[in-house]
Structure formats: structure tokens, C-alpha cells
Amino acid sequence: MIHHISIAVNNPHHVAQVLAEILKAEAVSFFPNPGSYMVIPFDEHGTVIELYPLGSQIQPGESDEQCVFVNNAITSRFTDIHAAISVSTSQEEIEQIGVREGWRVVPCNRDSFFDVIEFWVENRLMIELLTPDMTSQYLRFATQRENLKYFLPESTLATTQ
């Protein structure tokens, strides 16, 4: 269970408002890192998405102090981080929000295992959104250990069965 995730974006306040709309959540300031926001749907999992200004980095504190936020002026246009998030919003609503924002939205099938909607925040950060039907597909796939066989070489399967 992942309870919260943090991502850096160009406009944390705006992205927080958009994600709050999709997640049917609240967007509030995140004071430990100035200019940051949290999106909180108040669900049973305690889900929170933290949105930091682009260039924010978390570094270890000194000695036994907790982590600190620093800013790095050098950033990449794209990122290697993404998340899959279940939402109660429909595909049509997600697509309408994407059109309104001018952000790329692509319904996809992940190798016939499950469907997702690639939602490209600021056209640089991908979040896979799963509508309720897509969430059911995803859970049928991701909760069955037997589905590992699709990701293991054939020779490994012979030794693990």
C-alpha cells in the first residue's frame, strides 16, 4: 500500500487543483516546502499526493536530523517517476479535464493485462489513472501471484514451479 507520493511540477498550485478535481479531493498548502501543495481525497487508505515546485529535492538531514528540502535549478523535462492511481472519475471526465488543460490524455491497454488512462500532467509527468472498471482489471492482474509467469523467462518458470 502506497499512502503518499511526492512529485515536482512547474505549477504546484494549478496541478493540485486539477488533481483534486479528478480525485474528488481537497488541495491544501504543504508548508514544509514553500510553494508546495497536497491533494487529499480523505479515502480509507490515507492517500496524499504532494506537489513540489520543479527542482525540489529531498536530502538527508545532518546527523540524526530529518530530511530537508533543497532546490536544484537543473531539471529534466520528463521524469522517471510515475504512479497508477484509482479514481472514481469517469474516462470521459478525465478526457474533458485533459482537453481543458491542454494535457495529453491517452487511453491504453497494458499488454492485454489491464487498461489505464495515461494522464500527462503539464505534458511532462505521466500518471496512470484507473477508472472503477479499470481498477477491477488491474486488481485481478496485480493481486494474483500466478501472473508473475508473464514477466519471468521460460527457464525460470521451470525451476520455480
Side-chain angles (χ1 to χ4, degrees), residues 18-157:
V18 173
L19 292 181
E21 181 180 356
I22 290 172
L23 275 71
K24 303 187 184 332
E26 298 293 324
V28 297
S29 281
F30 180 68
F31 65 87
N33 188 21
S36 298
Y37 291 84
M38 295 186 301
V39 175
I40 310 170
F42 298 101
D43 62 15
E44 67 275 14
H45 306 293
T47 303
V48 176
I49 301 173
E50 297 172 5
L51 299 148
Y52 302 158
L54 196 60
S56 295
Q57 292 182 333
I58 301 172
Q59 293 183 357
E62 297 292 322
S63 184
D64 61 350
E65 293 179 352
Q66 67 182 350
C67 66
V68 295
F69 292 94
V70 298
N71 190 320
N72 181 354
I74 301 171
T75 61
S76 173
R77 175 162 181 220
F78 298 104
T79 179
D80 53 354
I81 296 171
H82 81 280
I85 301 173
S86 295
V87 298
S88 60
T89 310
S90 71
Q91 180 173 334
E92 294 76 24
E93 290 173 288
I94 293 166
E95 289 171 343
Q96 288 171 355
I97 292 167
V99 167
R100 181 191 73 209
E101 297 302 321
W103 296 349
R104 180 178 167 86
V105 177
V106 183
C108 298
N109 180 273
R110 297 295 191 228
D111 298 318
S112 299
F113 298 124
F114 53 88
D115 295 326
V116 300
I117 300 169
E118 288 185 1
F119 188 80
W120 286 86
V121 174
E122 298 179 328
N123 290 318
R124 62 171 297 278
L125 171 79
M126 180 186 64
I127 297 178
E128 293 173 320
L129 298 176
L130 292 91
T131 65
D133 287 342
M134 293 173 185
T135 298
S136 296
Q137 288 178 333
Y138 177 83
L139 291 174
R140 277 193 302 275
F141 174 75
T143 60
Q144 303 300 317
R145 188 175 302 275
E146 67 201 38
N147 289 332
L148 279 176
K149 67 184 175 197
Y150 298 113
F151 299 96
L152 299 173
E154 213 170 297
S155 61
T156 306
L157 282 176

